Amino acid sequence: MENKAPTVRLNLLIVTIFILAINTFLMGETLFFGVSPFDTTYKLSTRYDFSFWKFKTKFKVDVELAQKQGFIKITPKFADVFEYFEFINDPYRVTYSDLNIDIPFTTFANPAKKGWYATWVNTGYFSNGYIHKNDYFSILSDVSRINLTFKMYGLDIFFENSPNGITLGAGNKTYLFIGEKTGLGVLLSDNSFIVYTLVFYENGSLSSKFGFTLKADNLEINLINDEIDGQKTIAGKITLKVGDLYVVGRLQGKEVRLDFEFPIW
């Protein structure tokens, strides 16, 4: 069984490359060459928007390039190939977010959690959990936690049970919560942006978090101030399209990276 997963991934990759190759010859401007002027690293990027069945799909993957004894060395990483797709249709809806992995309230399916989100007739899955949503309540559950959110009199009233304890709260744009985490949160969102900030007590200490994402036709911004892998850090990414050129800036703690990506095919 353990040997089947790499084979499945390889088959998916071959099919994906085949689809992209066909569409590349037909449409062009799918393959981009990227260079970072700070550390003189190079990469190839594949970007493509395509449709199949009832899905509209965006695809984006980076392949790092290096030199070894004068030859170009390609180092692809396809362990999580599905993360390179973003499905953007209703009634099917699948999105992928780079925002932080934990906020202590939901207005449905922690909008800043990193994971896949798919629904069909109000029911589907989110990351490793299952979800259901209608006009009155939502459920998000996996093997370790469950979150219930009820909509009453214009308020979101939520209950979350996790291995670390129970959190209860309520609000609309501004949220109060008590339990495992006790504090105040503000969440504003629509179809193109999410911004939130939290201040709360947890395990006897005061913590804060902040997150912002914006998506427009030629601009995408993701910024968080949170704890990642046990370290408090600021992480961000800005993607700006100018004509056919993509300018991508990344911030991870003290590391700053800027890439220029231009079409070569």
Side-chain angles (χ1 to χ4, degrees), residues 180-211:
E180 175 200 351
K181 297 180 177 71
T182 300
L184 171 70
V186 176
L187 171 68
L188 304 174
S189 66
D190 67 7
N191 292 330
S192 61
F193 81 92
I194 297 173
V195 59
Y196 66 90
T197 183
L198 308 171
V199 179
F200 57 89
Y201 277 97
E202 183 181 22
N203 299 324
S205 61
L206 185 65
S207 299
S208 63
K209 298 184 179 185
F210 168 82

Side-chain angles (χ1 to χ4, degrees), residues 44-112:
L44 293 175
S45 296
T46 297
R47 299 173 180 270
Y48 198 71
D49 297 352
F50 60 94
S51 300
F52 64 94
W53 194 29
K54 297 182 179 181
F55 292 96
K56 288 185 178 179
T57 310
K58 292 180 177 291
F59 177 81
K60 169 69 165 61
V61 61
D62 294 332
V63 178
E64 298 295 333
L65 300 178
Q67 292 188 33
K68 186 175 182 180
Q69 298 179 349
F71 293 94
I72 297 293
K73 180 183 178 182
I74 300 177
T75 54
K77 298 178 181 179
F78 297 118
D80 300 309
V81 65
F82 283 108
E83 295 184 4
Y84 306 132
F85 291 89
E86 180 179 354
F87 299 88
I88 53 176
N89 258 63
D90 286 328
Y92 301 90
R93 183 184 178 202
V94 184
T95 61
Y96 184 77
S97 172
D98 288 324
L99 289 173
N100 77 319
I101 61 174
D102 179 35
I103 61 172
F105 59 81
T106 67
T107 57
F108 177 59
N110 286 346

